[in-house]
Amino acid sequence: MRALVTALVATLSATPLFADIAWQTERMAPGSLMVMEDERGGVISHVARGVQQGFFRFDTYDGKGNVPVYIGSYYTNDRGEVVRSISADGKVTRFDPHRCARTVGACSYVIIHSDGFRETRKRVTQEIALGLAWKEWGLDGLVATGALELDELGAAKTGWRKDHQSGQKTRSRRLMMALR
């Protein structure tokens, strides 16, 4: 019995324990707000609107102050995986089965653009000490890489993304989270 307990303790101590990388969107009641800023000072606000057709809806706004500009909406499942986005001009993009941003390991999905064009993507996501790191491939090879530091809800605190086609790297940080 002592050998079994010792083996169990050794196994558990050798296994890294990570938090779940899912974004607990159900904990963001309608009216909850998350504000993100990029390194150039651009601000995007994400406002929870509640459940619609079985998915969690978020509206996004660009800018600070009293006159933010609506830029679109996105819908997630209960793990924070984006399944659909709608631009301000009404163009719908679907992700089948979802964007794979919160799925550990290799995950493939299809982007169904508003014009009907179907684009297959593969994303590999791994858990890291403070959140997740990822790489994504598309039709022309490696598309982007990035990482996110996550809070206890799985929401982004800080992050970075490198676009491998343009070479541009963007950093972001959360300015505010207000839960209802």
Side-chain angles (χ1 to χ4, degrees):
M1 182 68 164
R2 180 177 286 171
L4 179 61
V5 170
T6 303
L8 182 60
V9 168
T11 301
L12 288 175
S13 65
T15 305
L17 299 175
F18 296 105
D20 186 3
I21 65 169
W23 178 21
Q24 299 173 31
T25 51
E26 76 280 355
R27 300 222 3 229
M28 296 188 71
S32 294
L33 171 68
M34 181 171 64
V35 181
M36 301 294 293
E37 178 182 50
D38 68 29
E39 61 197 304
R40 292 178 302 279
V43 173
I44 303 289
S45 299
H46 303 254
V47 180
R49 297 298 187 199
V51 177
Q52 293 182 358
Q53 299 173 341
F55 296 106
F56 298 90
R57 177 182 170 170
F58 292 84
D59 290 344
T60 54
Y61 298 87
D62 186 18
K64 299 180 195 179
N66 296 330
V67 191
V69 177
Y70 173 75
I71 55 176
S73 300
Y74 60 93
Y75 295 79
T76 74
N77 63 17
D78 61 350
R79 292 189 44 79
E81 295 280 15
V82 176
V83 297
R84 181 174 67 237
S85 66
I86 303 171
S87 65
D89 63 359
K91 292 182 179 164
V92 177
T93 302
R94 292 181 300 141
F95 305 93
D96 185 24
H98 48 68
R99 285 205 56 214
C100 295
R102 299 307 177 110
T103 302
V104 174
C107 181
S108 294
Y109 68 98
V110 177
I111 302 171
I112 303 148
H113 296 273
S114 61
D115 63 2
F117 178 70
R118 299 172 68 87
E119 179 182 358
T120 300
R121 293 277 179 104
K122 178 182 177 184
R123 185 174 177 122
V124 176
T125 303
Q126 66 182 53
E127 293 174 294
I128 58 175
L130 297 175
L132 61 90
W134 56 272
K135 292 184 179 184
E136 189 165 314
W137 291 265
L139 299 172
D140 298 324
L142 187 61
V143 174
T145 54
L148 292 174
E149 178 186 357
L150 304 175
D151 67 12
E152 64 280 353
L153 297 179
K157 290 172 65 176
T158 63
W160 63 269
R161 179 186 194 282
K162 181 177 180 183
D163 181 318
H164 286 272
Q165 294 168 337
S166 70
Q168 183 178 2
K169 188 171 182 179
T170 306
R171 295 188 181 280
S172 61
R173 68 185 179 104
R174 186 170 68 206
L175 294 178
M176 182 182 88
M177 175 81 93
L179 298 177
R180 289 208 175 242

